[in-house]
Amino acid sequence: MDRVRDLASKKAAVIFTKSSCCMCHCVHALLYDFGASPAIHELDQDTTGREMEWELQQLGCNPSAPAIFIGGKYVGLAKDVISLHVNGSLKEKLIAARAIWL
């Protein structure tokens, strides 16, 4: 699980996605709407994507994408991030991780 954790800790917001996943695109757009610029790692485009997908599944990501990390911590899948947005805590998490400033 070292590769995923290493990548997740390098930026304030990180999304592991698949290029054909519409929910991945939605989460990506949501974070951009807040002003965040997350690192995107497309599992189906990366040569180590299969290994990263396995690592994500070991963390409890099922399906493995989109898997969202904020501040180096696993936040959850699309439904989890949307829930955070609806209850108002997503913005707070992004500010605390310094992914956004306001």
Side-chain angles (χ1 to χ4, degrees), residues 15-83:
I15 308 171
F16 291 91
T17 70
K18 290 188 178 180
S19 59
S20 62
C21 173
C22 65
M23 290 309 292
C24 294
H25 174 74
C26 291
V27 168
H28 187 194
L30 176 63
L31 293 184
Y32 270 120
D33 284 347
F34 274 102
S37 182
I40 306 296
H41 299 284
E42 290 192 6
L43 300 172
D44 56 345
Q45 302 295 318
D46 192 301
T47 56
T48 61
R50 287 272 186 211
E51 291 83 16
M52 288 191 289
E53 192 168 357
W54 182 84
E55 289 179 30
L56 289 165
Q57 289 171 343
Q58 297 304 309
L59 288 172
C61 303
N62 190 15
S64 59
I68 301 94
F69 290 78
I70 298 175
K73 295 180 180 132
Y74 176 61
V75 176
L77 302 170
K79 65 179 176 65
D80 304 309
V81 171
I82 291 168
S83 292

Side-chain angles (χ1 to χ4, degrees), residues 76-95:
L77 302 170
K79 65 179 176 65
D80 304 309
V81 171
I82 291 168
S83 292
L84 291 173
H85 174 53
V86 169
N87 75 25
S89 62
L90 178 59
K91 183 176 182 180
E92 296 169 12
K93 287 187 179 297
L94 292 169
I95 290 170

